[in-house]
């Protein structure tokens, strides 16, 4: 029965015209000409009616719903960053905040301590601080204005104590600063070492991954090449627009299509 | 408030062409790509659903298509149509998916011939005597049984309402080949629908 049908169709060679007519892609003149042909060609008349019925049937299948895809759903943040983006201007405050946040905690605290000591010294100098140590014990005095009285023996002692105290504090601060500096150097060197180790480990891992991936790709390409050997060359091959140029998307079932 | 801002931002893109949106995406506004997704996701989903016959597969293909498009956006040629490009990506994804589940081509014609069924029913009578839902079921089965290269042409012509030259552009084949495939595909559909109805 199929063979009979096929024989009947080969009687008319205007298959492509039939498609144009059926889907309204003829110009007015071409359509007029084909309509004239239809009056004479029973084979084409039959096919027009049958294909119109098939078309009506096809329209019965509706697809409901929508996938509701979003960029964040399909693309992770990492991939998003791979696209070129315009850098936005950042304020100085933001940059400083980021810089401070990046510093290690111990560095932040020791710097704060040094700054506090310096501030204390400045304040003491400004407020005419007197630090005394005598038979009554240790005493501490602050005054907004310095006294211009004659120096008594006890005042000489006071001055000596004050100088001593100043020297002591200066020495303490210097020692602390030296200690912080040393600690900082040790930490930086340790960090450098750690970073270098991490980098080399990461580099080795990435190299290994790349090699594996390349090997897999090569295998896939070889398989694909093998598969395509017995097939007709794809029309997509010369098209740089085709992302999967090497993959044949339409010859797969060609053998079955011409039954 | 933020929704209103988003809406106004989105509205400002509505008038833009596909190519202009792509340009903006590439120039540091990745969120603009969402508008392209909104614009084309339904068509791509419908195409994938009819190519594969399963909702979840269609959803996966849809995601895969837009993911590929986004990642390869810089390769898109500005002188080409985005619709052709995205359809081609989607179809390539569909074909890859179909290859991965090889053996699902039903070859109904052969099966029913073997069983001794006769396609005595015409397609006209199917439309007249069966309910729309039943016809839809038959159509889906018949379409799934077609070779993918015919199926895709029928889908693009009948459901996506594309012109012959547009289909040829997507598939990278001559217009005459598109018409021949459609002709053969419709013939096969006619026969398959007849067999399927007879087998009910």
């Amino acid at each position: 029965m199929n063979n009979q049908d096929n024989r009947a169709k080969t009687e008319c060679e205007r298959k492509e015209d039939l498609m144009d007519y059926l889907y309204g892609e003829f110009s007015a003149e071409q359509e007029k000409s084909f309509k004239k042909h239809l009056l004479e060609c029973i084979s084409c008349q039959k096919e027009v009616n049958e294909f119109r019925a098939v078309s009506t049937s096809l329209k019965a299948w509706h697809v409901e719903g929508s996938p509701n895809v979003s960029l964040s759903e399909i693309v992770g943040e990492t991939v998003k960053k791979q696209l070129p983006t315009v850098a936005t201007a950042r304020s100085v405050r933001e940059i400083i905040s980021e810089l401070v946040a990046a510093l290690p905690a111990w560095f932040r605290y020791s710097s704060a301590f040094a700054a506090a000591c310096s501030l204390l010294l400045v304040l003491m100098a400004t407020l005419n601080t007197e630090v005394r140590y005598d038979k009554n014990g240790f005493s501490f005095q602050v005054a907004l204005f310095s006294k211009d009285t004659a120096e008594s023996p006890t005042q000489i002692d006071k001055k000596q104590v004050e100088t001593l105290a100043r020297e002591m504090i200066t020495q303490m601060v210097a020692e602390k600063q030296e200690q912080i500096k040393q600690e900082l150097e040790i930490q930086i060197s340790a960090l450098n070492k750690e970073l270098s180790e991490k980098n080399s480990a990461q580099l080795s891992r990435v190299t290994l991954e790349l090699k594996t991936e390349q090997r897999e790709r090569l295998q896939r390409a070889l398989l694909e090449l093998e598969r395509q050997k017995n097939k007709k060359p794809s029309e997509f091959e010369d098209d740089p627009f085709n992302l999967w140029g090497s993959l044949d998307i339409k010859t797969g079932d060609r053998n079955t299509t011409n039954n | 408030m933020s929704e209103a801002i988003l809406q106004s931002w989105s509205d400002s893109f509505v008038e833009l062409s596909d190519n202009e949106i792509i340009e903006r995406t590439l120039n540091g506004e990745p969120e603009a790509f969402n508008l392209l997704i909104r614009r084309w996701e339904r068509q791509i989903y419908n195409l994938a659903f009819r190519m594969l016959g399963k909702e979840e597969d269609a959803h996966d293909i849809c995601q895969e298509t837009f993911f590929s498009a986004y990642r390869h956006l810089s390769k898109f040629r500005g002188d080409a149509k985005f619709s052709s490009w995205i359809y081609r990506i989607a179809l390539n994804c569909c074909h890859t998916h179909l290859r991965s589940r090889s053996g699902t081509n039903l070859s109904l014609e052969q099966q029913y011939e073997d069983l001794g069924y006769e396609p005595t029913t015409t397609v006209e009578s199917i439309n007249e005597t069966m309910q729309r839902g039943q016809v839809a079921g038959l159509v889906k089965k018949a379409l799934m049984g077609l070779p993918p290269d015919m199926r895709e042409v029928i889908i693009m012509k009948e459901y996506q309402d594309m012109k012959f030259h547009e289909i040829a552009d997507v598939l990278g084949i001559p217009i005459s080949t598109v018409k021949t495939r459609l002709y053969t595909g419709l013939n096969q559909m006619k026969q398959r629908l007849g067999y399927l109805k007879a087998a009910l």
Side-chain angles (χ1 to χ4, degrees):
Chain A
M1 181 154 180
N2 291 337
N3 292 337
Q4 282 171 359
D5 278 352
N6 289 336
R7 270 198 300 276
K9 281 161 206 159
T10 50
E11 284 170 13
C12 184
E13 295 297 322
R14 300 187 67 175
K15 291 174 190 174
E16 288 182 26
D17 288 346
L18 189 68
M19 292 295 102
D20 279 320
Y21 174 74
L22 205 64
Y23 291 98
E25 293 205 25
F26 262 152
S27 64
E29 202 175 322
Q30 286 171 320
E31 191 177 338
K32 197 176 168 185
S33 159
F34 191 77
K35 273 183 178 170
K36 206 172 171 185
H37 165 76
L38 268 182
L39 292 172
E40 297 157 0
C41 181
I42 297 165
S43 162
C44 283
Q45 279 176 25
K46 187 171 173 271
E47 283 192 321
V48 164
N49 291 332
E50 286 171 346
F51 289 163
R52 276 187 177 148
V54 171
S55 188
T56 309
S57 300
L58 282 164
K59 295 283 189 293
W61 183 20
H62 283 288
V63 172
E64 299 296 333
S66 177
N68 286 325
V69 178
S70 73
L71 185 63
S72 51
E73 190 189 346
I74 59 164
V75 184
E77 286 301 314
T78 17
V79 182
K80 243 189 204 180
K81 282 172 189 165
Q82 284 177 9
L83 278 182
T85 53
V86 175
T88 51
R90 292 184 303 165
S91 67
V92 177
R93 193 179 166 178
E94 279 174 338
I95 293 168
I96 291 171
S97 304
E98 271 183 41
L99 198 66
V100 170
L103 288 170
W106 59 265
F107 183 82
R108 289 203 300 266
Y109 294 137
S110 50
S111 304
F113 177 74
C117 284
S118 310
L119 187 67
L120 184 69
L121 274 175
V122 171
L123 273 172
M124 283 168 83
T126 315
L127 297 173
N128 300 307
T129 310
E130 278 185 19
V131 181
R132 192 179 300 166
Y133 185 75
D134 51 20
K135 59 183 179 182
N136 297 324
F138 191 80
S139 63
F140 183 81
Q141 193 179 347
V142 176
L144 277 175
F145 303 102
S146 60
K147 298 174 202 169
D148 290 331
T149 51
E151 286 183 358
S152 64
T154 46
Q155 279 174 332
I156 295 167
D157 290 344
K158 263 197 294 179
K159 271 197 169 182
Q160 281 174 347
V161 173
E162 191 181 317
T163 318
L164 269 173
R166 279 180 195 275
E167 279 172 5
M168 232 169 67
I169 291 170
T170 315
Q171 198 182 345
M172 275 170 65
V173 169
E175 276 171 10
K176 192 70 191 171
Q177 278 178 339
E178 186 61 30
Q179 193 190 340
I180 288 167
K181 195 180 165 190
Q182 280 172 4
E183 281 175 3
L184 195 67
E185 279 170 0
I186 292 166
Q187 293 281 350
I188 286 170
S189 119
L191 273 172
N192 272 338
K193 197 179 168 190
E194 197 184 334
L195 199 66
S196 149
E197 280 169 4
K198 270 185 185 171
N199 276 345
S200 70
Q202 209 169 2
L203 199 64
S204 324
R205 204 180 66 246
V206 169
T207 314
L208 190 71
E209 277 172 8
L210 272 172
K211 278 181 183 172
T212 318
E213 197 186 330
Q214 278 177 344
R215 211 178 297 133
E216 282 171 358
R217 275 188 188 170
L218 195 63
Q219 279 174 349
R220 275 202 302 274
L222 282 171
L223 274 172
E224 193 59 39
L225 202 64
E226 193 86 11
R227 211 178 293 161
Q228 290 198 346
K229 267 185 182 175
N230 299 326
K231 291 177 182 175
K232 192 181 167 183
S234 166
E235 283 100 335
F236 286 133
E237 273 173 7
D238 295 327
D239 187 0
F241 189 47
N242 180 32
L243 289 177
W244 287 266
S246 62
L247 301 179
D248 184 2
I249 65 162
K250 55 199 177 311
T251 55
D253 293 291
R254 180 162 289 161
N255 295 337
T256 57
T257 62
N258 299 324
N259 289 342
Chain B
M1 180 69 184
S2 61
E3 276 183 19
I5 293 167
L6 271 175
Q7 187 59 47
S8 65
W9 178 85
S10 179
D11 289 345
S12 68
F13 280 91
V14 169
E15 299 303 321
L16 295 177
S17 69
D18 290 343
N19 287 7
E20 284 170 330
I21 295 171
I22 289 167
E23 206 180 317
R24 285 203 177 198
T25 308
L26 290 171
N27 286 332
E29 292 178 62
E31 294 303 324
F33 193 74
N34 269 323
L35 196 74
L36 278 181
I37 297 177
R38 290 282 88 79
R39 215 173 258 186
W40 292 102
E41 66 175 347
R42 190 172 283 275
Q43 286 94 317
I44 298 300
Y45 177 76
N46 283 353
L47 176 80
F49 197 160
R50 290 190 166 106
M51 279 300 288
L52 306 173
K54 285 183 183 174
E55 198 178 328
E56 57 273 23
D57 288 347
H59 191 266
D60 289 347
I61 293 295
C62 207
Q63 286 191 330
E64 209 179 316
T65 301
F66 286 109
F67 178 73
S68 294
Y70 186 79
R71 293 211 65 179
H72 298 97
L73 206 57
S74 55
K75 290 181 187 172
F76 174 69
R77 298 183 316 192
D79 56 337
K81 275 178 82 178
F82 177 75
S83 57
S84 301
W85 191 63
I86 198 83
Y87 271 122
R88 185 179 293 195
I89 295 174
L91 283 173
N92 279 330
C93 290
C94 288
H95 283 280
T96 308
H97 190 87
L98 286 169
R99 270 196 293 270
S100 72
R101 53 163 175 167
S102 57
T104 51
N105 202 342
L106 299 175
S107 90
L108 291 171
E109 189 182 6
Q110 191 59 51
Q111 284 180 37
Y112 289 126
E113 269 180 350
D114 292 347
L115 288 167
Y117 293 124
E118 281 295 320
T120 48
T121 315
T122 61
V123 185
E124 288 95 328
S125 76
I126 289 175
N127 294 332
E128 284 161 12
T129 58
M130 292 177 82
Q131 288 186 347
R132 198 180 175 86
Q134 289 176 304
V135 179
L138 284 189
V139 164
K140 188 180 173 185
K141 273 187 187 173
L143 206 56
M144 289 300 117
L146 281 187
D149 57 348
M150 287 181 193
R151 199 188 314 161
E152 65 193 6
V153 172
I154 291 181
I155 291 169
M156 282 189 274
K157 191 69 203 165
E158 288 285 347
Y159 297 111
Q160 309 288 334
D161 209 20
M162 290 163 75
K163 299 280 180 198
F164 287 124
H165 71 88
E166 289 173 327
I167 300 172
D169 194 27
V170 170
L171 297 175
I173 57 175
I175 293 175
S176 59
T177 312
V178 174
K179 289 176 189 170
T180 310
R181 280 189 195 174
L182 184 64
Y183 177 88
T184 319
L186 288 175
N187 253 318
Q188 287 205 12
M189 274 302 288
K190 183 188 78 183
Q191 285 175 3
R192 282 170 192 280
L193 287 169
Y195 281 119
L196 283 167
K197 176 70 171 61
L200 281 177

